[in-house]
Amino acid sequence: INAEYMGDFRILGMGKGGGGSPNSDPVHLDGHTDWISVDGEVFDVQAFAKHHPGGDHIVGCGGTDVTALFKSMHPYTYERNLKTLRKWQVGVLGARAPPVEFESEFARDVKSAVQAVMADAQLSWYAPLGFWARTLVIMLLTAVSEFWWATTGSYFAMVTVAVAHAWIGLSVQHDASHGAVSSNSLVNSALAFGADWIGSNRYLWMQQHVIGHHPHTNEVTTDPDVTSAAPLIEFHPRTEPASANWFTRFQWVYMFFLLPWYGPSVTFNVSQLFTMNHGNEVPTSHFWLSKRPAAILMRLFYVLRLFVVPMALGVAPPWYATLFGIPLGVGGILTFVFVLSHNFEGSNRYPFVAASSSAPVDWYRMQVETSCTYGGTLAMVLTGGLNFQIEHHLFPRMNSWHYPLIAPTVRAICDKHHVNYTYFPNILANLLSTVRYMRRTGRLEIG
């Protein structure tokens, strides 16, 4: 469903809107990063970007099929939006992505029911007062802890900074990156830079998470999270014994010591920063490269705040603790929360395996059955709503503060349509299921 499927297409006339019959001569899409595809239709995203209410970052999707992303971000208006987009149509695809259904009976039912819940509560999908109050607390905690760390080099201050930064990643920049904080794209954009504040980059995160992971959850060839720690950690079951490594039988133990290194692997990844390419989820384009100067400056500012200042003041602990302590802490918290979301007993690991023109994949069903939910409102406050992964994957544009409200309705609709809704009463129950799943996957007991 991403760039690998964007093969040949046929031109529809000339210029904006086209018209006439498709040319029979196929033209390869390689290098055409000004174009996107939705439902097999190709559009000039560069020309459309200045008219896009969500901002120009849509240009970053150039060269890919964005059908799933487009329809999940506009669940109630995508047909109307598609008609508008056709003003900039330039062609149709000759090669099509695997068939995916977005208007199944289940999809229509769950969207309608959730819309009614929000309407009855007279709530906007965007951030309510509680979200902003928590954001203020996080900002204050970040400012105080960073000052404390920079002026004392205390290990307790180091841990506090790591917690504050992880909380930014979970509860501020994540919603903002999905456009789920405000109807104003500038507000979302500003808060999305929280990723840069904590040593990552909002645009690389957009490639990995928003463009790569969300539309293709658990699909081994297109979801970058599935292979993100391979071969040391295998999140996806191996189908052939010969393809497994002997050490993965112990991954259910050592993964908790290895996954925190995700933090340093992001913070100190100079290659990604200079290429502005996370993992080829999208082709490198002028849009991404134009963000490189700001990305580098933000990373240098991070290094200055957290490494240079405490060292210059002579208060820093040993160099290895100074350089790796905070990134390891942030990486440990973030990966612990995220790894539970899609790696548990009963998760759908092969969502596209049976796809065909006569039996397309139900995208909304896939999002439910590849994800899980645990806990309630308290866990939402602490994890930025990432305990409600099912609700988040169904409605990524909805602010996470609303997920406790819609969760009972989502679960009831799933039961009605015999869709497997996995719920754990608390994080411990989810953790134990994840450990058992990782143990079985590492031992090749799942086919």
Side-chain angles (χ1 to χ4, degrees):
I1 301 181
N2 65 2
E4 67 179 278
Y5 298 109
M6 292 284 281
D8 297 333
F9 85 107
R10 295 162 290 171
I11 290 293
L12 277 174
M14 300 291 291
K16 291 182 181 179
S21 300
N23 191 318
S24 60
D25 298 326
V27 180
H28 206 63
L29 258 176
D30 281 357
H32 289 284
T33 55
D34 288 345
W35 296 337
I36 58 173
S37 171
V38 178
D39 278 342
E41 301 176 48
V42 180
F43 307 97
D44 187 337
V45 70
Q46 185 72 46
F48 168 68
K50 59 187 175 183
H51 304 279
H52 181 230
D56 70 346
H57 58 269
I58 190 176
V59 176
C61 297
T64 68
D65 184 295
V66 297
T67 302
L69 183 62
F70 175 78
K71 292 186 176 182
S72 64
M73 296 295 276
H74 311 93
Y76 300 101
T77 62
Y78 69 79
E79 290 183 348
R80 183 174 72 242
N81 294 350
L82 191 57
K83 289 180 181 178
T84 300
L85 195 55
R86 287 195 178 108
K87 296 177 183 178
W88 293 273
Q89 185 175 358
V90 296
V92 294
L93 281 182
R96 296 295 302 274
V100 180
E101 173 64 61
F102 294 89
E103 286 298 327
S104 67
E105 185 179 351
F106 168 65
R108 292 193 299 270
D109 208 357
V110 75
K111 288 192 293 183
S112 175
V114 166
Q115 189 176 41
V117 169
M118 296 298 288
D120 289 345
Q122 298 183 323
L123 290 172
S124 158
W125 277 40
Y126 297 111
L129 181 61
F131 176 91
W132 290 110
R134 182 184 60 190
T135 299
L136 179 60
V137 170
I138 294 172
M139 292 172 67
L140 290 173
L141 178 64
T142 301
V144 170
S145 62
E146 285 196 18
F147 180 80
W148 183 20
W149 160 248
T151 55
T152 68
S154 159
Y155 282 104
F156 191 40
M158 174 194 293
V159 172
T160 308
V161 171
V163 170
H165 282 195
W167 212 3
I168 290 174
L170 295 171
S171 303
V172 181
Q173 77 84 20
H174 182 256
D175 272 293
S177 294
H178 283 286
V181 174
S182 171
S183 59
N184 188 322
S185 63
L186 295 178
V187 174
N188 291 318
S189 181
L191 292 182
F193 277 109
D196 296 80
W197 188 269
I198 66 175
S200 182
N201 175 255
R202 64 165 293 198
Y203 296 106
L204 294 173
W205 172 255
M206 178 181 170
Q207 292 174 22
Q208 174 191 354
H209 186 74
V210 179
I211 298 175
H213 167 66
H214 261 263
H216 320 113
T217 315
N218 282 3
E219 212 296 305
V220 69
T221 62
T222 47
D223 180 354
D225 290 1
V226 172
T227 55
S228 60
L232 296 178
I233 299 177
E234 297 288 356
F235 293 116
H236 197 76
R238 294 284 189 172
T239 56
E240 297 291 338
S243 66
N245 294 301
W246 65 268
F247 48 79
T248 59
R249 69 180 58 219
F250 306 108
Q251 67 180 10
W252 63 281
V253 175
Y254 67 68
M255 70 178 188
F256 296 106
F257 301 94
L258 187 61
L259 287 174
W261 287 93
Y262 167 79
S265 76
V266 170
T267 299
F268 300 115
N269 196 324
V270 177
S271 174
Q272 283 187 357
L273 202 61
F274 276 86
T275 62
M276 291 305 292
N277 188 305
H278 172 266
N280 295 318
E281 291 86 6
V282 289
T284 300
S285 66
H286 174 72
F287 171 82
W288 299 114
L289 294 177
S290 71
K291 308 302 180 183
R292 182 166 55 191
I296 293 173
L297 286 175
M298 288 291 287
R299 191 64 55 86
L300 290 174
F301 183 48
Y302 173 89
V303 170
L304 175 67
R305 288 171 15 239
L306 299 181
F307 305 148
V308 175
V309 171
M311 287 181 171
L313 294 178
V315 298
W319 67 269
Y320 49 87
T322 301
L323 291 180
F324 294 107
I326 292 173
L328 277 171
V330 176
I333 296 170
L334 292 180
T335 56
F336 179 80
V337 172
F338 277 105
V339 79
L340 304 181
S341 305
H342 307 290
N343 304 288
F344 55 90
E345 296 169 302
S347 62
N348 184 356
R349 305 307 308 190
Y350 304 98
F352 289 99
V353 71
S356 68
S357 57
S358 60
V361 173
D362 183 336
W363 189 86
Y364 280 84
R365 185 186 192 105
M366 179 188 80
Q367 296 306 312
V368 175
E369 296 186 339
T370 56
S371 309
C372 68
T373 287
Y374 68 84
T377 301
L378 177 59
M380 178 276 291
V381 173
L382 296 176
T383 68
L386 293 178
N387 60 310
F388 288 98
Q389 277 293 317
I390 291 174
E391 290 70 24
H392 174 55
H393 270 256
L394 288 174
F395 303 101
R397 274 294 291 283
M398 177 182 286
N399 187 266
S400 59
W401 201 271
H402 300 305
Y403 293 153
L405 175 65
I406 69 168
T409 298
V410 170
R411 189 172 185 179
I413 298 299
C414 289
D415 290 342
K416 173 184 174 183
H417 291 273
H418 307 290
V419 174
N420 184 29
Y421 182 106
T422 301
Y423 175 77
F424 298 99
N426 51 60
I427 192 172
L428 178 60
N430 195 165
L431 173 62
L432 291 175
S433 181
T434 295
V435 168
R436 289 191 295 266
Y437 169 79
M438 295 301 293
R439 184 172 184 269
R440 292 176 62 197
T441 302
R443 290 171 178 258
L444 211 74
E445 293 176 8
I446 300 178

